[in-house]
Amino acid sequence: MLMAHPAVLNNLIEQYETLRVLHAENGSEEVRRRMDDIAYTLCISTGTRDVDAALIAARHRLPGARTEDDSMLVS
């Protein structure tokens, strides 16, 4: 499996979290569509099937992540 560069993963995480806040504030359809796009990209980039697992997996691949603690990863 190809691995996304940590800088790309970090950018995707930041975008998703920003969009989540925007969606909570105004709930626009455009923000929701962009969130879905980012969630899909995160899933593809991490080899997962849902955005929560993708966020966890992406964070584990960032510099400074505690790689020995994978208790939150779902198979």
Side-chain angles (χ1 to χ4, degrees), residues 12-32:
L12 290 169
I13 292 168
E14 287 178 5
Q15 285 185 60
Y16 187 81
E17 290 173 347
T18 300
L19 290 167
R20 185 168 32 193
V21 170
L22 287 173
H23 183 66
E25 289 177 358
N26 66 20
S28 78
E29 185 60 30
E30 181 181 344
V31 170
R32 183 65 200 166

Side-chain angles (χ1 to χ4, degrees), residues 4-18 38 41-42 45-46 54-55 57-63:
H5 191 279
V8 171
L9 293 174
N10 190 48
N11 183 274
L12 290 169
I13 292 168
E14 287 178 5
Q15 285 185 60
Y16 187 81
E17 290 173 347
T18 300
I38 297 293
T41 304
L42 274 165
S45 299
T46 58
L55 288 166
R59 287 184 180 115
H60 275 283
R61 293 186 187 154
L62 296 179

Side-chain angles (χ1 to χ4, degrees), residues 42-53:
L42 274 165
C43 288
I44 296 300
S45 299
T46 58
T48 58
R49 293 181 181 233
D50 70 73
V51 70
D52 293 324

